[in-house]
């Protein structure tokens, strides 16, 4: 069973066609600025990440990198992904280093290709694969070390502002973990470019595997040059499943910016003692400090602000205003079991913990590898009742309504519509990571509505789809190869071409739009994290372990993977493989067939 749902209904149409040759061309549509001349990073204190400061570069298993990828088959232990530390920052365990708070996702990670173990650190011992610790080190995402693409872009400056965090000093006497070794293979700035003929020779025997079904659409692009190296149905609209979240991520980062935070407000109601809670679309809002998402805004803190603002006036009623969103709460193209299947739910402007009924249990289940969770059917009212309890208001005094127009005050008492308090979500850069690392569908739908609001569209499924299409066009990408009914990939009505995905990934990774690089933070790493945790461990796929970083998507009969891969020569490629007519009863075989394609790219120079 995939993350999205468990039923497949074969489709009649082939998806939207664009009129362009299905095989794609051999010239990419996203030029990489200054790709042929390595960019000089701005001078920074301390050694530059990725610079040679001692021993030879380490490969995925901690040994000297030979460009051949990890070795070993099933049952091997991989070290954890690298942690980024800004140039000049103290190493782990010294004053000023940031501790990693416990979490439940697959991990914050570094930018593609980055390594950050201090040169004087001893090699860590083998570590079991795990996903229970989220690495809150998103700063590394914005330091792009794309040496293999001929682009070195050092951008630590704005990251602290985007995250809004201060580096916490370690607790005296606390035990600190040694710096982990790198997982992702280092890039070679002098790596030879693969040729279309070489890539075709590597992939042609694999794309026709019976387990992939009758329609397999593929695109492979060189990140440095933007050249399309391989295309089969590359421009054809295909059901993307959860890979659609890559489009959601890029468009919200472009439209809102990495630092934007979603507010949840409380205002005075029309009558004394009445409080209106106004949903702003934050799906990560928590009731208290035991919520599902790390660093979430909290209703108990909002309630305290309200009590202070009301002075001696007791709250008597809570009105829930979730009118920011319009249209249906469930996308009409979703399968019937989505509302109760554990991975989807009602999309409302006010909710707590992604509408999960029991966030504590959901955290434990996610740490154990199960991201499904029971969702409440009316998330806005459930959040309103939780807020009412914190204010001492009975549950039967909670109802839906709207905020009154702001008025004046009467003898110091807040008048109708006066703001009583506000709490804000983590910044968009972190919400994007939640969405991608855990394939969080409700976070995806919330972020898409932020794109809609930023482009003056209705905050609905239709409005979000139109707004994302608009932003994709603004970025210079082929919007005619995109048709989104939702932002999570749950809908079978979605269509995305593989070439749009590889162009989008190349744009996010080439350094021309540094804010878009946040999409790489949560991408699962082959053989290490997320949906790729237990993959790339067979004899025919292990060259992709620690080398493939990609988003996966699964509906019954629909399988997709798109992301980055480093070739054996150290060249960075973007790739996308989408199949939406796979046999319904060959899930594992289909995933293996997909992984063989990415592993073939990792294992060859393709010249």
């Amino acid at each position: 069973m995939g993350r999205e749902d468990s039923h497949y209904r074969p489709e009649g149409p082939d998806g939207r066609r664009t009129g362009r040759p299905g095989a794609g061309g051999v010239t990419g549509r996203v030029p990489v600025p200054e790709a042929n001349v390595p960019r000089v990073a701005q001078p920074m204190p301390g050694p530059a990440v990725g610079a040679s400061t001692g021993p030879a570069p380490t490969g995925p298993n901690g040994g000297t990198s030979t460009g051949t990828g990890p070795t070993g088959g099933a049952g091997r232990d991989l070290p954890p992904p690298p942690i980024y530390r800004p140039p000049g920052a103290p190493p782990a365990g010294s004053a000023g280093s940031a501790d990693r708070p416990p979490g439940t996702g697959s991990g914050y990670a570094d930018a593609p290709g980055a390594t950050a173990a201090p040169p004087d650190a001893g090699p860590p011992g083998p570590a079991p694969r795990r996903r229970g610790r989220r690495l809150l080190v998103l700063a590394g995402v914005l330091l792009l070390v794309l040496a293999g693409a001929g682009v070195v872009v050092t951008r630590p400056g704005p990251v602290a502002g985007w995250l809004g965090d201060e580096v916490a000093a370690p607790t005296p006497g606390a035990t600190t973990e040694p710096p982990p070794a790198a997982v992702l293979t280092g890039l070679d700035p002098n790596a030879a470019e693969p040729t279309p003929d070489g890539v075709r020779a590597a992939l042609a025997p694999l794309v026709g595997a019976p387990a992939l079904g009758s329609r397999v659409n593929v695109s492979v692009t060189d990140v440095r040059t933007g050249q399309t190296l391989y295309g089969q149905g590359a421009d054809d609209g295909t059901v993307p499943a959860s890979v659609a979240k890559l489009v959601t991520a890029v468009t919200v980062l472009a439209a809102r910016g990495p630092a934007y935070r979603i507010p949840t407000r409380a205002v005075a109601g029309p009558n004394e003692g009445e409080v209106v809670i106004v949903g702003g679309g934050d799906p990560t809002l928590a009731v208290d400090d035991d919520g599902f998402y790390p660093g979430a805004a909290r209703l108990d803190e909002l309630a305290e602000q309200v009590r202070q603002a009301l002075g001696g006036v007791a709250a008597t009623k809570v009105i829930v205003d979730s009118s920011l969103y319009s249209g249906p709460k469930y996308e009409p193209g979703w399968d019937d079991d989505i509302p109760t299947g554990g991975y989807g739910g009602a999309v409302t402007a006010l909710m707590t913990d992604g509408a999960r009924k029991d966030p504590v249990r959901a955290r434990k289940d996610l740490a154990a590898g199960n991201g499904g969770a029971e969702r409440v059917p009316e998330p806005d009212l459930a959040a309103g009742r939780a807020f009412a309890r914190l204010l001492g208001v009975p549950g039967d005094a909670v109802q839906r309504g709207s905020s009154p127009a702001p008025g004046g005050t009467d003898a110091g008492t807040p008048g109708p519509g006066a703001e009583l308090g506000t709490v804000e979500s983590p910044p968009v850069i972190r919400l994007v990571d939640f969405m991608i690392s855990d394939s969080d569908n409700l976070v995806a739908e919330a972020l898409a509505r932020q794109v809609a609001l930023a482009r003056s569209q209705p905050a609905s499924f239709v409005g979000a789809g139109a707004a994302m299409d608009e932003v994709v066009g603004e970025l210079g990408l082929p919007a005619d190869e995109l048709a989104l009914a939702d932002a999570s990939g749950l809908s079978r009505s979605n269509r995305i071409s593989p070439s749009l995905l590889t162009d989008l990934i190349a744009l996010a990774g080439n350094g021309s739009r540094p804010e878009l690089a946040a999409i790489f933070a949560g991408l699962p790493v082959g053989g290490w994290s997320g949906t790729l945790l237990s993959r790339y461990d067979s004899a025919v796929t292990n060259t992709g372990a620690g080398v493939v970083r990609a988003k996966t998507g699964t509906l019954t009969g629909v399988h997709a993977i798109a992301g980055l891969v480093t070739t054996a020569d150290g060249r960075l490629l973007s790739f996308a493989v989408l199949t939406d007519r796979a046999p319904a009863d060959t899930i594992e075989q289909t995933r293996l067939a997909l992984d063989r394609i990415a592993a073939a790219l990792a294992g060859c120079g393709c010249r």
Side-chain angles (χ1 to χ4, degrees), residues 494-512:
N494 292 328
R495 296 292 186 275
I496 303 177
S497 73
S499 61
L500 171 59
L501 289 169
T502 52
D503 286 355
L504 178 147
I505 293 165
L507 177 65
N510 67 26
S512 63

Side-chain angles (χ1 to χ4, degrees), residues 125-150:
R129 291 182 294 181
R130 59 186 180 180
R131 65 190 308 271
R133 298 287 302 274
R134 185 183 296 278
L135 308 180
L136 295 175
V137 285
L138 279 171
V141 175
L142 277 305
L143 191 144
L144 307 181
V145 188
L146 302 183

Side-chain angles (χ1 to χ4, degrees), residues 347-593:
V347 181
T348 58
L350 178 67
M351 65 173 64
T352 57
D353 302 303
R356 292 168 179 84
K357 185 176 182 179
D358 186 344
V360 175
R361 177 179 176 180
R363 285 204 318 267
K364 294 177 181 178
D365 289 345
L366 182 62
N370 175 22
E374 182 179 359
R375 314 284 171 146
V376 296
E378 297 181 304
D380 53 347
L381 284 180
R385 293 187 184 107
F387 187 55
R389 286 194 299 272
L390 293 166
L391 291 173
V393 174
D396 58 5
V398 178
Q399 66 180 51
R400 290 190 180 96
S402 58
S403 308
T409 59
D410 183 12
T413 302
E419 186 166 296
L420 304 177
T422 302
V423 291
E424 294 182 328
S425 73
V428 160
I429 191 173
R430 281 185 173 159
L431 300 183
V432 164
D433 186 65
F434 294 153
M435 173 184 66
I436 291 180
S437 63
D438 296 326
S439 201
D440 195 309
N441 295 312
L442 287 177
V443 171
E445 300 301 343
L447 290 178
R449 281 154 179 75
Q450 292 301 315
V451 181
L453 293 168
R455 290 298 180 268
S456 301
Q457 294 278 359
S460 64
F461 286 106
V462 173
M468 287 192 288
D469 190 273
E470 180 181 344
V471 174
V472 165
E474 293 170 0
L475 293 171
L477 300 170
D480 61 341
E481 297 180 12
L482 174 70
L484 292 179
D486 69 13
S488 58
L490 290 172
S491 177
R492 298 180 185 277
S493 300
N494 292 328
R495 296 292 186 275
I496 303 177
S497 73
S499 61
L500 171 59
L501 289 169
T502 52
D503 286 355
L504 178 147
I505 293 165
L507 177 65
N510 67 26
S512 63
R513 295 291 298 262
E515 74 278 13
L516 304 185
I519 70 169
F520 300 121
L523 282 182
V525 177
W528 167 254
S529 65
T531 54
L532 298 182
L533 174 66
S534 300
R535 293 165 66 166
Y536 296 95
D537 58 0
S538 72
V540 294
T541 62
N542 63 21
T543 53
V547 180
V548 173
R549 166 164 270 172
K551 181 76 189 77
T552 61
T554 307
L555 301 166
T556 303
V558 177
H559 297 266
I561 186 169
L564 294 169
V565 60
T566 307
T567 70
D569 291 337
R571 191 83 177 194
L572 189 68
L573 308 179
S574 63
F575 73 97
V577 186
L578 282 69
T579 174
D580 56 9
R581 293 180 185 170
D585 57 352
T586 62
I587 293 177
E588 293 305 321
Q589 296 95 318
T590 302
R591 288 176 176 170
L592 179 63

Side-chain angles (χ1 to χ4, degrees), residues 82-367:
I83 294 178
Y84 165 75
R85 292 186 178 85
S94 63
S97 66
D99 293 331
R100 293 178 294 165
T104 57
S106 57
Y108 286 96
D110 63 322
T115 58
D120 58 345
R129 291 182 294 181
R130 59 186 180 180
R131 65 190 308 271
R133 298 287 302 274
R134 185 183 296 278
L135 308 180
L136 295 175
V137 285
L138 279 171
V141 175
L142 277 305
L143 191 144
L144 307 181
V145 188
L146 302 183
V151 179
V152 180
V153 184
T154 306
R155 300 184 184 273
V159 179
W162 291 350
L163 296 177
D165 285 347
E166 295 181 358
V167 177
T171 303
T175 301
T176 58
E177 294 182 281
V183 167
L184 295 178
T185 297
L187 303 176
D188 182 354
N190 301 312
E193 180 179 0
T195 66
D197 287 344
V199 176
R200 186 180 304 109
L203 299 190
L206 303 177
V207 296
L212 293 174
S214 61
R215 196 163 85 122
V216 187
N217 295 333
V218 186
S219 178
V220 180
T221 299
D222 184 273
V223 171
R224 174 181 174 181
T225 64
Q227 180 184 21
T228 297
L229 298 173
Y230 182 83
Q232 173 176 292
D235 300 331
D236 291 349
T238 316
V239 181
S242 195
V243 166
K245 292 183 176 75
L246 292 175
V247 178
T248 306
V250 164
T251 54
V252 75
L253 286 165
R256 281 300 200 198
Y260 183 80
R261 297 172 184 262
I262 304 171
T264 301
R265 300 184 301 121
V267 302
N271 302 303
E272 187 177 81
E274 295 180 348
V275 178
V276 184
I277 181 169
V278 185
D282 175 10
T284 67
L285 182 67
V287 176
D288 50 30
D289 63 354
D290 211 11
F292 182 81
Y293 300 95
R298 292 163 45 178
L299 287 180
D300 59 348
E301 294 179 348
L302 182 61
E304 179 59 30
Q305 293 179 40
V306 169
R307 280 191 289 268
Q308 293 292 329
L310 291 178
V313 177
T316 59
K317 182 178 182 180
V318 168
I319 299 171
V320 175
D321 184 351
S322 56
S323 61
L324 182 65
Y325 288 2
S326 59
K329 296 179 181 178
Y330 303 97
E331 204 282 313
W334 287 359
D335 285 355
D336 292 340
D337 67 345
I338 294 298
T340 58
Y343 291 98
V347 181
T348 58
L350 178 67
M351 65 173 64
T352 57
D353 302 303
R356 292 168 179 84
K357 185 176 182 179
D358 186 344
V360 175
R361 177 179 176 180
R363 285 204 318 267
K364 294 177 181 178
D365 289 345
L366 182 62

